[in-house]
Amino acid sequence: MVKEPKPSPESINMIIQKYNLKKDETIYIGDSPSDGIASKKASVSFGFANWENQNPISEYNYLFKSPEDIKKLY
């Protein structure tokens, strides 16, 4: 549905608009550098899903070592 893939923020912005989300309350969770770049360009927090990733990413707002870690945000 998007014209530009990640690291373009187009897909993130589309979801934010569709569901009327607030950017300061939105976290994009991913496991690749392009996910981090896209979230930064979209001005949302980035949660690094590190549970199966062998390539660490140094810039993130949240580090998730397992899917269960996501539940700790609430």
Side-chain angles (χ1 to χ4, degrees):
M1 295 180 74
V2 297
K3 294 178 183 174
E4 296 182 37
K6 295 179 294 183
S8 167
E10 184 181 0
S11 59
I12 297 171
N13 288 328
M14 182 184 291
I15 292 168
I16 288 170
Q17 290 175 346
K18 181 176 181 172
Y19 294 102
N20 197 30
L21 303 173
K22 297 177 182 177
K23 287 189 174 200
D24 63 342
E25 296 178 358
T26 301
I27 300 170
Y28 183 79
I29 299 173
D31 63 355
S32 72
S34 64
D35 293 327
I37 293 167
S39 65
K40 188 172 188 173
K41 288 181 177 181
S43 300
V44 299
S45 293
F46 176 57
F48 176 43
N50 191 37
W51 52 86
E52 290 185 11
N53 198 317
Q54 300 300 318
N55 300 311
I57 297 173
S58 60
E59 291 188 40
Y60 51 81
N61 302 100
Y62 300 93
L63 175 63
F64 301 114
K65 294 183 179 180
S66 73
E68 291 77 29
D69 287 346
I70 299 168
K71 295 176 186 178
K72 296 175 185 176
L73 290 174
Y74 302 100

